[in-house]
Amino acid sequence: GSKPSKYQVPTSTTRDPSPVNKFKMSTVAGPTSPVAYAFPHIQWDALGSLRLTAQETALLRMAETNPIDYTLADSRDASMYARVLLKLLAEASSAGAGSGEVSRFTDKCTDEQAMQALDMDPLGVVTHYSLTKLNQIITTLSTAVKDVSVSSVFYVGKDGLLVEQWKALLRILNKGGKGDAFAQKVASLSLAKIIVASCPSKRSASETRPVSYASALEPMEALNSWIVNHLKGSSGGAVGLCSPALMVMMDAQESRMMFCEAGGIKYIARQLRTENGKNSDKKNKVGQGSVQQLYELAFCLWILTYELNQSHVIRADFAKDGQPVLALVELVSLAPREKVVRVALSSLRNLATCTSDEDPEPALTTKNDGKHFLSEMIACGLMKSVSLLRERQFTDPDMVEDVDSLHKLLTDNFHEMTRWEVYKNEVESGHLKWGSTHTEAFFKENARMIEGTDGDFHLLKVLIALLSAHDEEVTTIACYDIGEFVRHYPNGRAIAKRLGAKELVMPLIEHENPELQRHALQCVSKIMVNNWEYVK
């Protein structure tokens, strides 16, 4: 038996806290195959390696000539058709499909190229055909057909077990490497829709047919780790492959919890920051492709913020290293498109208002609640972005409400914080910006506080670590703050030296950024010279 997960799906309530039901995830459409033009020209009889029976070939032909709703009107026919398509995938795959001509097309190709591909790589075309039809079946069943559902077609027998042939979809995903992008995207999307149909949280009381959730656990775990591995990857292409399936997995509480357990929140936040980082250099010009990607990832984080009140573990995941909050704040300040800003704001509002009443943190651990997240947002500079957004005219009333609500929450929280708390938060977040806390007057008054309640000089250690930051402004301010600490704290020079500040500041004296160079030089002088006043 598997060990119980700390990410428990609450059993006390059957309600799904997230608003996914407003967004029918089952309708996330798949892309169109680049070789779709060749589909009607496939010669089934000539493809012996697919080992089709005469009945199966007849079924494929019948499905071609009739509208899809007709083929799906009877549960048994529909199930048989789905299994023939999965068989096609399995046979084509074991006969070597997936690395031929077809897998090299990334965009739509000409009709001539599609026919050429059918000639040179018929199994590749068959793979695209089966996946296209499979995705069409699932999308149609999710929306149009009465009495026949995804679960009645793919979960069979008296126990409602998932059809064994699902493994054909996984095999396509595990081809990995360069792989066939269209095939991987549609196989993962189809598998996600099939799996989610078995989740107890998605089943309505009126459904009487048994559907075995246990039989879907193995594919759910396999798909989840495939998605997480793609999110860990560094290329935007890898994320584009898995984000449609990820959005579908957000549809059920069980698959959401499994995703979080694998570190999903951290990986989404990291990807949002990478995508956004690429864009911030181009002065906010975000390519259309990456806007969609930012939106899909931010959408998934947003859905997960609806679990905050019910799970202290998910609150801790959102609080980890301050990355998720920072990623969302950056989306708001860069404002790539209104739809991206909308989900980012709504996520931040959920974080700012979450409580630990329903599922409190274990004793002696940090309490991550709205107050904690608000101080993170303040440290990341959200107040300025929200003030700017208040001046813009948004047509969406929800958005106006989120902006006003966040503005009030941030302002109230900021007024309760002392200047020292604002400074401490800013240093811990790593986002140093010039302001009234980076001044001689501030350090005269507060240098003593830097030793910390445990006397371990934690903040000084953070400032020293920030000397290696990628952001030159952050490094410049860290030089200034360390120098001021050294001047205003008794024996500050010895402490800064012992913690390795001098070795890290020295090389910065030769930095090409003149501002950074000047502050580094001053910092070294303050560490070396006994009485800085005489040198000035």
Side-chain angles (χ1 to χ4, degrees):
S2 59
K3 59 180 183 17
S5 158
K6 55 181 182 171
Y7 294 76
Q8 288 305 332
V9 174
T11 40
S12 56
T13 55
T14 42
R15 73 190 173 86
D16 184 338
S18 80
V20 273
N21 298 328
K22 285 203 313 205
F23 299 84
K24 266 277 189 261
M25 288 315 201
S26 48
T27 57
V28 172
T32 307
S33 163
V35 293
Y37 177 80
F39 290 170
H41 304 278
I42 298 173
Q43 301 297 315
W44 296 113
D45 299 331
L47 293 168
S49 57
L50 295 172
R51 303 197 301 202
L52 292 173
T53 64
Q55 188 192 10
E56 288 167 340
T57 313
L59 184 59
L60 288 169
R61 293 214 169 96
M62 185 194 87
E64 271 306 305
T65 48
N66 294 318
I68 186 129
D69 309 19
Y70 177 83
T71 312
L72 300 179
D74 177 85
S75 197
R76 278 215 301 274
D77 287 355
S79 194
M80 211 164 102
Y81 181 43
R83 278 189 271 183
V84 173
L85 292 170
L86 287 167
K87 174 181 170 174
L88 283 179
L89 283 180
E91 296 291 351
S93 189
S94 53
S99 48
E101 192 67 17
V102 173
S103 66
R104 294 191 194 98
F105 291 122
T106 44
D107 299 314
K108 191 173 177 342
C109 57
T110 63
D111 298 352
E112 206 174 323
Q113 284 172 310
M115 291 305 285
Q116 217 171 346
L118 178 59
D119 226 21
M120 294 172 64
D121 181 15
L123 297 178
V125 176
V126 166
T127 299
H128 278 217
Y129 170 86
S130 316
L131 286 166
T132 301
K133 294 291 172 198
L134 203 60
N135 191 47
Q136 194 184 2
I137 289 180
I138 297 167
T139 309
T140 310
L141 289 173
S142 311
T143 48
V145 184
K146 66 174 208 299
D147 303 333
V148 183
S149 63
V150 172
S151 56
S152 66
V153 170
F154 291 94
Y155 294 82
V156 294
K158 63 177 196 318
D159 299 324
L161 299 177
L162 174 61
V163 294
E164 260 302 293
Q165 292 89 333
W166 69 265
K167 292 196 169 76
L169 293 166
L170 188 64
R171 197 177 300 158
I172 290 173
L173 302 186
N174 290 342
K175 278 238 154 75
K178 280 280 168 260
D180 178 331
F182 169 83
Q184 293 200 14
K185 205 174 205 171
V186 180
S188 57
L189 184 60
S190 303
L191 190 52
K193 290 175 180 179
I194 293 169
I195 291 165
V196 163
S198 75
C199 290
S201 66
K202 298 303 291 175
R203 317 223 350 107
S204 67
S206 59
E207 286 180 69
T208 48
R209 271 189 76 261
V211 170
S212 162
Y213 171 56
S215 70
L217 272 174
E218 185 194 338
M220 191 192 277
E221 281 164 1
L223 180 58
N224 188 57
S225 58
W226 180 82
I227 290 173
V228 168
N229 285 333
H230 277 69
L231 284 175
K232 280 183 188 169
S234 51
S235 75
V239 179
L241 273 187
C242 72
S243 52
L246 176 60
M247 286 178 83
V248 173
M249 293 284 265
M250 290 296 112
D251 204 6
Q253 202 159 18
E254 294 81 353
S255 41
R256 289 199 288 272
M257 292 301 185
M258 188 183 278
F259 175 71
C260 291
E261 192 161 352
I265 290 173
K266 163 177 78 195
Y267 297 124
I268 291 185
R270 201 184 288 167
Q271 281 296 349
L272 280 172
R273 296 212 53 215
T274 330
E275 277 292 304
N276 234 346
K278 287 183 212 154
N279 302 325
S280 56
D281 312 334
K282 303 179 201 147
K283 286 286 166 274
N284 299 357
K285 288 277 187 294
V286 183
Q288 197 45 56
S290 51
V291 167
Q292 188 53 27
Q293 211 144 300
L294 286 172
Y295 173 72
E296 287 173 2
L297 291 171
F299 178 90
C300 294
L301 265 193
W302 172 61
I303 294 293
L304 293 170
T305 59
Y306 285 87
E307 304 287 353
L308 287 162
N309 291 344
Q310 302 186 27
S311 165
H312 72 271
V313 188
I314 286 188
R315 288 197 298 280
D317 282 355
F318 269 101
K320 232 177 234 135
D321 312 329
Q323 291 292 314
V325 168
L326 174 59
L328 291 164
V329 170
E330 284 178 346
L331 285 180
V332 173
S333 62
L334 275 175
R337 289 284 188 289
E338 190 168 309
K339 68 176 184 176
V340 180
V341 178
R342 184 187 300 129
V343 283
L345 279 172
S346 185
S347 309
L348 287 165
R349 185 180 177 181
N350 286 345
L351 284 160
T353 52
C354 73
T355 70
S356 53
D357 305 345
E358 272 183 65
D359 182 35
E361 277 73 12
L364 305 176
T365 54
T366 318
K367 183 175 171 184
N368 298 311
D369 56 6
K371 206 170 167 50
H372 169 88
F373 290 116
L374 276 165
S375 40
E376 273 192 9
M377 291 171 206
I378 290 170
C380 297
L382 182 62
M383 288 180 79
K384 185 179 166 194
S385 305
V386 166
S387 303
L388 291 171
L389 286 176
R390 290 188 86 200
E391 293 160 21
R392 282 173 52 183
Q393 300 299 309
F394 289 112
T395 44
D396 178 348
D398 287 349
M399 207 157 158
V400 175
E401 196 192 323
D402 284 341
V403 170
D404 290 343
S405 161
L406 271 171
H407 182 263
K408 184 176 176 358
L409 288 162
L410 288 163
T411 318
D412 293 351
N413 202 51
F414 184 72
H415 289 323
E416 285 171 23
M417 289 166 81
T418 62
R419 272 188 40 185
W420 169 253
E421 284 172 331
V422 171
Y423 176 74
K424 180 169 169 290
N425 269 337
E426 188 187 318
V427 173
E428 284 176 342
S429 78
H431 295 279
L432 305 181
K433 291 265 181 281
W434 286 112
S436 62
T437 55
H438 306 286
T439 55
E440 181 174 9
F442 177 81
F443 278 91
K444 253 186 185 145
E445 197 182 315
N446 293 294
R448 282 287 175 136
M449 303 283 279
I450 288 185
E451 63 194 41
T453 44
D454 306 335
D456 63 352
F457 293 94
H458 167 68
L459 274 194
L460 180 60
K461 290 174 187 165
V462 176
L463 286 168
I464 292 170
L466 290 175
L467 292 171
S468 319
H470 294 309
D471 184 324
E472 292 174 6
E473 185 180 22
V474 170
T475 310
T476 306
I477 298 172
C479 287
Y480 177 80
D481 287 7
I482 292 166
E484 287 302 282
F485 162 78
V486 165
R487 284 177 59 204
H488 296 291
Y489 188 87
N491 206 15
R493 288 163 62 218
I495 294 160
K497 273 186 194 162
R498 190 184 80 235
L499 293 174
K502 191 175 131 198
E503 288 74 16
L504 287 170
V505 179
M506 286 302 273
L508 298 173
I509 294 174
E510 310 200 328
H511 200 282
E512 70 254 15
N513 177 331
E515 181 70 356
L516 175 48
Q517 192 183 28
R518 181 171 71 83
H519 278 284
L521 192 58
Q522 288 188 353
C523 180
V524 170
S525 313
K526 290 171 188 175
I527 293 173
M528 308 292 287
V529 177
N530 226 340
N531 200 336
W532 167 250
E533 292 306 322
Y534 291 121
V535 183
K536 277 209 305 196

